Amino acid sequence: MLEKVYGSAVFGVEATNITVEVNIDKGIGYHLVGLPDNAIKESSFRISAALKNNKYHFPGKKITINMAPADMRKEGSAYDLTLAIGILAASNQINTEKICDYIIMGELSLDGSLQPIKGALPIAIKAMEENFKGFILPKQNAKEAAIVSDLKVYGVENITEVIDFFDGKTELEQTIIDVQFEFNKSLDNPEFDFADVKGQESVKRSMEIAAAGGHNIILIGPPGSGKTMLSKRLASILPPMTMQEALETTKIHSVVGKTKESGLMCQRPFRSPHHTISDIALVGGGQYPQPGEISLAHNGVLFLDELPEFKRTVLEVMRQPLEDREITISRAKFSVSYPSSFMLVASMNPSPSGYFNDPDSPKTSSPFEMQRYLSKISGPLLDRIDIHIEVNPVPFEKLSEEQLSEPSTEIRKRVTKAREIQTHRFAEYGNVHHNAQMNVKQIKKYCKLAPECSVLLKNAMERLSLSARAYDRILKVSRTIADLEGVAEISTAHISEAIQYRSLDREGWLG
């Protein structure tokens, strides 16, 4: 007897529905076709044990299963429940009347209980688009899938619940969440707050500018000066995520099985990979492509601590995603794309010893060691970092102050207001959302300088030996500073402040 059940496969951050055709005929054998990977091929052992432990039997006949489309690679153990229901239906052990109305996914344990799967949200979105009545999946993933409000989502704990549902013995409880409530609940009370930071006013100011314009930033300072602590707090002053951004972010984390308990990810992600990370782990890929750290940081912050310690090849593969805000992974028969629109925050010591030009420290580095250390960061990568800021240790007087600093919520209000100005400014451009993304034509249009500003910038570039790549960066940052003040024209004060944020372009740093 032939029966069809439906599952789904995830490619990139999108899902494709899979038709599982199960045919049981005379003979003996188990034939699984349609490009399944080893995890799916092994499913027969899990299914057989799960059925026997729940008083059902695995047919001792010739079972042929086709996973269509047959030319598309399928992977993972999430098809266990799909295959099991198909086998039960084809062997007349359950009622087949309602089976075709549902997407069914889940990994089976040997006792018939269900383990969580990856990619529940993209699968639910696809099921809704294809007009399925509902989605049956493990209970642990139910909240995540229930974000799709136009689809009935049923979270189950055991295969017997699914069998009883199709046989009409019981009804499954639909999982419903208030998406707007979950979204609003997570907007306040950030885990890390700038109120905890003593001193470092100039650094906090530069991070406010970076957040307001979406600028990449690098912090340079000796060990213990607070670079990591400050970086962890940057996400708390970024504008709250829109519902669209929250859904985009949740889809990516769903694909790798890293969603929050509430299902919807409402806080901007903060990713901080170790400097030993590989190219593939950072940008994504592998035999079966998965999102990397740059995609998990989508709509949030990617923090690279001790930037020169990362392998140069790892840093170089980031150049294209930084520019395009998307990473495409190509294979012989297919390619997948993952979004990677993130703010890069990097930190580094000023020298191998960490105490460059510190008269109180004997741990100084020679000019040759300095050059070798700093040359690990290529010019093209620095081209994509708008703000360079030096971080100095906080004096004891500041550390011992009882008074709290300005909280992140207040800084975020100013940042959000500046972002609103930019959203209105770039409304006609579909791919530009903030100042850091401006191209040359847009810089000329929106960063016009008065004669006195041009003179100031020219003198600064000559006296400080700033490189040519600093010119556009200074204009973009100046535009953001003006937006924070709510003024249309860039003034000399804005230019002067922006010039301060180009430390690594000066002589004595990278030559």
Side-chain angles (χ1 to χ4, degrees):
M1 182 177 176
L2 174 66
E3 286 294 340
K4 292 182 181 180
V5 291
Y6 294 93
S8 196
V10 178
F11 292 92
V13 291
E14 304 298 332
T16 301
N17 288 338
I18 302 295
T19 303
V20 177
E21 301 172 314
V22 182
N23 186 69
I24 298 181
D25 208 343
K26 293 179 181 179
I28 296 175
Y30 182 83
H31 308 286
L32 184 57
V33 297
L35 292 183
D37 72 350
N38 286 334
I40 302 175
K41 291 174 182 176
E42 293 170 353
S43 64
S44 61
F45 302 108
R46 294 189 293 271
I47 293 168
S48 176
L51 294 181
K52 287 177 182 177
N53 287 326
N54 287 275
K55 297 184 172 54
Y56 292 89
H57 69 272
F58 192 88
K61 296 184 178 182
K62 182 181 179 182
I63 303 173
T64 305
I65 301 175
N66 178 44
M67 305 180 76
D71 62 344
M72 183 183 293
R73 186 81 183 174
K74 292 90 181 174
E75 60 178 84
S77 54
Y79 297 97
D80 288 0
L81 184 60
T82 322
L83 298 174
I85 295 299
I87 290 169
L88 290 171
S91 58
N92 293 316
Q93 295 185 67
I94 61 170
N95 192 320
T96 62
E97 187 179 342
K98 300 186 290 185
I99 283 178
C100 290
D101 295 332
Y102 297 88
I103 292 287
I104 306 168
M105 296 291 286
E107 178 187 333
L108 281 172
S109 295
L110 299 186
D111 62 355
S113 60
L114 293 174
Q115 300 299 318
I117 64 172
K118 297 177 181 179
L121 179 57
I123 293 171
I125 292 171
K126 187 64 176 179
M128 182 265 294
E129 291 173 351
E130 296 289 334
N131 297 317
F132 279 89
K133 265 189 184 178
F135 181 16
I136 298 172
L137 77 168
K139 197 164 189 174
Q140 298 96 315
N141 300 111
K143 282 189 175 182
E144 178 188 330
I147 293 171
V148 183
S149 56
D150 295 331
L151 179 74
K152 292 182 178 179
V153 173
Y154 302 103
V156 294
E157 294 182 344
N158 194 285
I159 190 173
T160 55
E161 295 178 42
V162 184
I163 296 169
D164 290 344
F165 170 68
F166 286 127
D167 282 341
K169 296 178 182 178
T170 60
E171 288 294 323
L172 295 177
E173 183 180 351
Q174 184 181 349
T175 302
I176 301 173
I177 65 168
D178 187 336
V179 177
Q180 195 61 50
F181 173 76
E182 295 290 342
F183 183 70
N184 294 334
K185 185 175 70 173
S186 303
L187 293 181
D188 296 320
N189 303 318
E191 182 181 359
F192 298 102
D193 200 301
F194 271 106
D196 305 325
V197 180
K198 304 289 187 181
Q200 303 291 17
E201 301 304 327
S202 62
V203 185
K204 286 189 279 187
R205 167 67 175 172
S206 69
M207 299 192 91
E208 179 181 340
I209 294 167
H215 302 287
N216 300 322
I217 183 172
I218 184 168
L219 311 178
I220 312 111
S225 56
K227 303 186 294 297
T228 302
M229 179 190 67
L230 287 158
S231 299
K232 285 182 177 179
R233 284 156 175 76
L234 180 59
S236 69
I237 63 172
L238 289 171
M241 281 209 285
T242 63
M243 183 62 77
Q244 181 64 33
E245 288 177 327
L247 286 171
E248 286 176 3
T249 306
T250 305
K251 278 175 72 175
I252 297 167
H253 286 252
S254 172
V255 169
V256 293
K258 293 185 177 180
T259 49
K260 302 286 185 179
E261 185 180 343
S262 62
L264 187 66
M265 291 193 63
C266 305
Q267 297 282 2
R268 292 192 181 272
F270 179 89
R271 305 294 299 182
S272 179
H274 193 261
H275 65 260
T276 56
I277 192 170
S278 67
D279 306 15
I280 289 174
L282 184 68
V283 300
Q287 185 178 1
Y288 305 119
Q290 289 281 299
E293 289 290 336
I294 63 171
S295 295
L296 294 173
H298 181 61
N299 291 322
V301 174
L302 177 69
F303 175 50
L304 301 184
D305 198 9
E306 301 300 338
L307 188 65
E309 299 299 331
F310 284 79
K311 289 185 291 186
R312 182 156 183 151
T313 54
V314 171
L315 298 178
E316 292 307 298
V317 293
M318 272 203 316
R319 284 161 49 181
Q320 179 259 333
L322 277 169
E323 199 71 27
D324 298 341
R325 302 189 301 281
E326 183 181 71
I327 179 70
T328 300
I329 299 161
S330 298
R331 294 291 180 266
K333 294 184 179 179
F334 65 92
S335 65
V336 295
S337 295
Y338 298 108
S340 58
S341 181
F342 59 91
M343 269 187 66
L344 174 63
V345 181
S347 75
M348 59 179 285
N349 293 330
S351 64
S353 67
Y355 298 94
F356 174 63
N357 279 349
D358 186 350
D360 300 325
S361 174
K363 302 175 183 178
T364 57
S365 301
S366 69
F368 173 74
E369 290 174 322
M370 282 282 299
Q371 189 63 33
R372 187 175 60 180
Y373 177 73
L374 295 171
S375 65
K376 293 180 181 180
I377 310 169
S378 70
L381 179 61
L382 278 177
D383 274 347
R384 292 159 174 81
I385 301 178
D386 296 347
I387 296 177
H388 313 156
I389 185 72
E390 295 179 51
V391 185
N392 296 312
V394 181
F396 176 78
E397 291 75 16
K398 285 284 185 182
L399 286 173
S400 59
E401 284 182 355
E402 294 293 331
Q403 186 177 357
L404 289 175
S405 301
E406 185 179 24
S408 292
T409 50
E410 292 301 313
I411 302 173
R412 186 167 63 184
K413 288 177 184 176
R414 297 194 295 269
V415 169
T416 303
K417 192 173 181 180
R419 284 285 184 103
E420 288 170 357
I421 293 172
Q422 293 164 53
T423 300
H424 178 73
R425 175 184 298 137
F426 302 122
E428 61 185 286
Y429 307 102
N431 60 342
V432 179
H433 305 287
H434 41 72
N435 291 334
Q437 297 172 347
M438 286 192 289
N439 59 31
V440 175
K441 288 184 179 179
Q442 290 155 353
I443 291 172
K444 287 181 179 178
K445 182 176 180 180
Y446 299 113
C447 302
K448 292 179 180 177
L449 299 181
E452 61 271 19
C453 293
S454 297
V455 171
L456 173 63
L457 183 52
K458 178 176 180 292
N459 291 337
M461 293 191 70
E462 290 175 353
R463 291 183 183 179
L464 300 175
S465 300
L466 296 178
S467 65
R469 65 174 174 251
Y471 179 77
D472 285 352
R473 309 295 167 191
I474 290 172
L475 290 180
K476 289 181 181 181
V477 174
S478 300
R479 179 68 270 165
T480 301
I481 297 169
D483 290 341
L484 280 168
E485 289 187 11
V487 297
E489 301 295 327
I490 296 174
S491 70
T492 53
H494 305 144
I495 293 287
S496 297
E497 184 174 0
I499 290 168
Q500 297 175 29
Y501 303 133
R502 296 304 302 179
S503 296
L504 292 181
D505 282 316
R506 300 174 189 171
E507 281 190 343
W509 282 103
L510 294 182

